[in-house]
Amino acid sequence: MSALFNFQSLLLVILLLICTSTYTHYVFPSIMDRNRDGVLGIFWKCARIGERLSPYVSICCVLMAVSLFMGS
């Protein structure tokens, strides 16, 4: 089943996108800051979400890991 049709998988993809964008912005801030507009602006926005809401994103990652562990 595709991640678009499974809500839990869609949430996992969004969390991974936020976490990856935040880490990439931490390592390469100039590349991310240059691409604020357009299609690549999605990654910049995800990085901002990860930086500003990091405790909540961390809690969501832990809850998702626990739910995936319990589900399998």
Side-chain angles (χ1 to χ4, degrees), residues 5-56:
F5 300 116
N6 188 352
F7 185 68
Q8 186 174 3
S9 297
L10 179 65
L11 288 178
L12 180 66
V13 168
I14 291 170
L15 277 174
L16 288 173
L17 179 67
I18 289 171
C19 293
T20 304
S21 298
T22 305
Y23 177 74
T24 306
H25 187 262
Y26 177 73
V27 175
F28 305 111
S30 61
I31 293 174
M32 294 289 283
D33 288 337
R34 274 187 291 185
N35 299 317
R36 289 185 182 184
D37 299 325
V39 177
L40 295 177
I42 294 171
F43 300 111
W44 182 80
K45 291 173 187 171
C46 288
R48 286 292 171 219
I49 291 170
E51 289 172 356
R52 294 182 180 175
L53 299 176
S54 60
Y56 300 112

Side-chain angles (χ1 to χ4, degrees), residues 45-72:
K45 291 173 187 171
C46 288
R48 286 292 171 219
I49 291 170
E51 289 172 356
R52 294 182 180 175
L53 299 176
S54 60
Y56 300 112
V57 172
S58 301
I59 290 170
C60 289
C61 287
V62 169
L63 290 175
M64 186 63 70
V66 169
S67 71
L68 289 175
F69 179 72
M70 294 295 181
S72 53

